[in-house]
Amino acid sequence: MSEIINRVSQSKLVTFNLEDYYPKGNRVVLDIKDWLFEGLILREKDFRAQLENCDWSQYKDCFVALNCSTDAIVPGWAYMLISTKLQPYAKKIIIGDLEMLESSIYQSIIENLDVSEFADKPVIIKGCSNKPVPANAYLWATTKIQAVAKSVMYGEACSSVPLFKVK
């Protein structure tokens, strides 16, 4: 009987796990409807007063998604004004929901990612994560890694799906 050889552990396969890049920090949705008259109308003077009375320090080291859950028409400057108050505290500020926030966070991370370690190597982008990694992050990682890798796969080493291979 011959010895069982673990070919996966002997391969040059490199695993890339997006979960490893998940930044720490609370994700917060700041709904501005309560700062609007009847949740619908922005009265500038009252709005500015609400902003002055807010404890912005509660957003320290948070990732913040600004939105309005009512059908109010909110002028762009209102979100800009809020961002000036959040800027000293928040790590990142966007207009949108939590999914858009996570995508924005990961887009920045992947754009700044050094992929030189994957040059001319077979890379597997690990699937299934315990953290809320957005679907867009997988697309961006694939595009970034594909530019340098010998091959790109998705999943686990024991059951991967081939995505790309240099011809």
Side-chain angles (χ1 to χ4, degrees):
M1 189 167 186
S2 64
E3 180 183 344
I4 297 174
I5 299 170
N6 184 340
R7 294 186 325 171
V8 172
S9 67
Q10 292 180 344
S11 76
K12 294 181 180 179
L13 186 65
V14 178
T15 300
F16 177 76
N17 187 353
L18 281 162
E19 199 172 57
D20 293 343
Y21 296 89
Y22 186 83
K24 292 179 181 175
N26 290 334
R27 276 70 169 161
V28 178
V29 175
L30 196 160
D31 187 350
I32 70 166
K33 73 171 172 42
D34 295 332
W35 294 340
L36 306 178
F37 177 71
E38 296 183 358
L40 292 170
I41 300 167
L42 188 147
R43 291 182 172 166
E44 185 177 352
K45 184 177 178 182
D46 296 338
F47 184 75
R48 285 180 181 273
Q50 292 280 359
L51 297 186
E52 289 306 315
N53 293 326
C54 182
D55 176 15
W56 297 103
S57 66
Q58 67 183 309
Y59 299 102
K60 183 168 177 39
D61 297 328
C62 290
F63 297 92
V64 181
L66 302 174
N67 77 14
C68 183
S69 61
T70 63
D71 289 332
I73 297 173
V74 180
W77 64 260
Y79 292 114
M80 294 165 67
L81 184 59
I82 295 168
S83 75
T84 66
K85 304 296 185 183
L86 283 168
Q87 188 277 330
Y89 304 102
K91 288 183 179 181
K92 186 169 197 75
I93 309 159
I94 66 142
I95 298 172
D97 58 19
L98 286 177
E99 186 176 338
M100 290 173 71
L101 179 60
E102 288 296 343
S103 284
S104 179
I105 293 167
Y106 266 97
Q107 185 173 24
S108 298
I109 290 167
I110 293 169
E111 283 174 353
N112 296 309
L113 188 66
D114 177 12
V115 293
S116 61
E117 69 178 286
F118 305 120
D120 301 318
K121 293 180 182 168
V123 179
I124 186 161
I125 298 174
K126 187 177 184 298
C128 301
S129 66
N130 296 317
K131 296 179 180 164
V133 176
N136 278 329
Y138 289 95
L139 299 178
W140 297 322
T142 301
T143 302
K144 184 97 175 195
I145 293 169
Q146 178 182 343
V148 298
K150 181 178 179 181
S151 64
V152 180
M153 295 162 275
Y154 171 79
E156 302 291 333
C158 60
S159 62
S160 62
V161 176
L163 303 173
F164 166 79
K165 188 170 189 170
V166 172
K167 294 178 183 170

